[in-house]
Amino acid sequence: MGEGISDYTKFCVDLRRQMWMAGVETELRRLIWQIAVTGKYIFAKIHESNRKLAGFKNIFGEEQLALDKSSDQILKNQLQFSGFVREYASEEQDTVVRIGSGTEKYFVTADPLDGSSLVDTNLAIGTIIGIHNGSMMGVGKQTMVAALYITYGPLITMVYSAGKGAHEFVLNREGEYVLSQENIRLKDRGDIYSVGGLRKDWTPEHLRFVEFLEEQGYKLRYSGGFVPDINQILIKNGGIFTYPALKKSPAGKLRLLFELQPMAFLIEQAGGIATDGKTDILDIPVEDIGQRSPIYIGSRFEVEKAKAFLRAS
Ligand code: AFP
């Protein structure tokens, strides 16, 4: 969109108009919009749960579904027979589920409610979506056509990319997603770091990298929610998030298909990089839907520095 458009005018651009102006393909525009709208229903479910976690019985004595399971049902039902989605895979399903007639173009992966264990603390949580064309089992660089996440915090925000930059929208009082930041760009170097896992479980080379960041004066920003932690690096335009290989779990904790590929797609669209410490996340073949991988994701300087420390092992 042309530079110099006043904030107010820019702010009045809603999601569908921005995607149309950005030249996003029609069916993909409709699918992204449909998923973004689903975020409103998931948020309503979070409110309805009154921050209670799984295992509660409602007033009729029925087992209340865990929030992440009910969020998964909402998402799957919304996409079922949408006419755009052939298969759906999520952290809450054991296998890939066929939800279309078999001729649709897109395959959707979901972490329907990432960070659900934080709901009772009222910290921000989110939904992570990957959109693939042709198949979801393979190399992300070849299969992914779009990714998005929705953050449920003081505001509901949504960041998407369809391969033409990463853009942020805020859900307004009228229930419309309006553009707040277009073509988000990461600086080559930031000043925040977000690091998961227990220090005692880190490998010596990862520990040396974190100590480097601390000596350089980076500020620690880690909430335990992948979505808000990544969102902070994007919106602050720099820094690094890492959930590393651990001594007892060399593949780390986060899932390649549901969490890492979508965030890698978005961060790369913002000029950053995402790696497992050696290989780009979007170059790692997905062989199993539950596959985990270490992750270093964010600004170029910090991620390249991490790779150098890991090589020195
Ligand atoms: P939950 O979905 O079980 O809350 O886990 C959240 C998460 O998958 C991801 O959002 C965080 O980055 C990571 O786990 C936090 O893990 P630790 O609790 O080990 O720090």
Side-chain angles (χ1 to χ4, degrees):
M1 205 153 43
E3 289 307 315
I5 292 182
S6 75
D7 271 359
Y8 178 75
T9 314
K10 190 167 72 171
F11 203 71
C12 288
V13 174
D14 71 10
L15 173 60
R16 282 177 286 188
R17 181 151 167 243
Q18 191 276 342
M19 289 194 289
W20 178 76
M21 293 170 80
V24 178
E25 186 267 317
T26 304
E27 279 201 343
L28 188 54
R29 282 205 314 266
R30 291 182 185 157
L31 176 56
I32 290 170
W33 184 75
Q34 198 167 348
I35 293 170
V37 166
T38 307
K40 296 195 266 187
Y41 308 141
I42 290 175
F43 189 63
K45 203 75 185 169
I46 294 169
H47 264 253
E48 190 185 294
S49 77
N50 192 19
R51 298 183 299 155
K52 291 192 181 66
L53 294 171
F56 263 71
K57 294 190 183 304
N58 63 21
I59 51 171
F60 305 108
E62 297 151 8
E63 183 61 44
Q64 190 175 353
L65 280 173
L67 262 177
D68 37 22
K69 287 221 173 296
S70 52
S71 302
D72 178 53
Q73 280 192 349
I74 290 169
L75 202 49
K76 181 169 160 289
N77 295 343
Q78 183 73 6
L79 295 174
Q80 189 113 27
F81 308 123
S82 64
F84 310 123
V85 182
R86 188 182 314 178
E87 293 183 0
Y88 171 79
S90 103
E91 275 206 7
E92 308 309 324
Q93 305 273 343
D94 299 338
T95 61
V96 180
V97 180
R98 185 151 120 192
I99 57 171
S101 65
T103 58
E104 296 79 1
K105 188 190 286 188
Y106 297 116
F107 295 66
V108 173
T109 67
D111 184 349
L113 200 59
D114 183 83
S116 50
S117 65
L118 298 172
V119 163
D120 53 351
T121 66
N122 199 30
L123 279 172
I125 55 180
T127 296
I128 308 172
I129 299 288
I131 301 177
H132 301 250
N133 186 348
S135 165
M136 58 178 78
M137 305 303 281
V139 171
K141 215 157 260 179
Q142 291 157 13
T143 63
M144 291 200 81
V145 292
L148 69 92
Y149 64 79
I150 301 169
T151 308
Y152 309 107
L155 296 172
I156 295 181
T157 60
M158 191 276 293
V159 173
Y160 95 93
S161 177
K164 301 170 190 274
H167 318 287
E168 185 203 42
F169 297 78
V170 178
L171 192 70
N172 69 11
R173 275 194 297 269
E174 288 70 41
E176 281 290 337
Y177 281 102
V178 286
L179 180 66
S180 46
Q181 288 202 55
E182 195 171 37
N183 293 317
I184 301 169
R185 299 300 295 173
L186 292 190
K187 296 176 292 216
D188 264 355
R189 180 169 183 170
D191 59 8
I192 59 178
Y193 72 112
S194 194
V195 54
L198 298 178
R199 205 176 189 95
K200 68 177 181 60
D201 296 337
W202 293 345
T203 60
E205 50 277 7
H206 178 79
L207 177 58
R208 281 193 290 276
F209 169 59
V210 174
E211 286 169 343
F212 164 79
L213 295 176
E214 289 164 343
E215 285 149 19
Q216 293 286 312
Y218 281 73
K219 289 173 284 187
L220 178 59
R221 294 289 185 270
Y222 186 76
S223 76
F226 189 41
V227 172
D229 288 343
I230 292 289
N231 186 59
Q232 180 162 200
I233 286 168
L234 256 179
I235 302 305
K236 295 295 186 190
N237 303 114
I240 185 168
F241 173 97
T242 170
Y243 206 108
L246 302 174
K247 288 174 192 164
K248 294 192 191 96
S249 34
K253 174 180 181 182
L254 301 182
R255 287 184 172 82
L256 179 60
L257 186 63
F258 301 117
E259 295 164 310
L260 305 185
Q261 279 192 337
M263 293 307 199
F265 187 91
L266 288 162
I267 287 284
E268 286 193 1
Q269 284 292 315
I273 47 182
T275 171
D276 66 355
K278 287 199 188 79
T279 310
D280 279 3
I281 291 295
L282 294 180
D283 284 332
I284 301 173
V286 175
E287 279 138 12
D288 173 281
I289 64 169
Q291 192 174 331
R292 299 172 194 267
S293 168
I295 176 87
Y296 294 82
I297 180 170
S299 292
R300 195 160 293 282
F301 172 82
E302 289 89 334
V303 176
E304 292 298 347
K305 186 61 83 175
K307 288 164 73 173
F309 272 91
L310 296 173
R311 272 195 303 271
S313 56

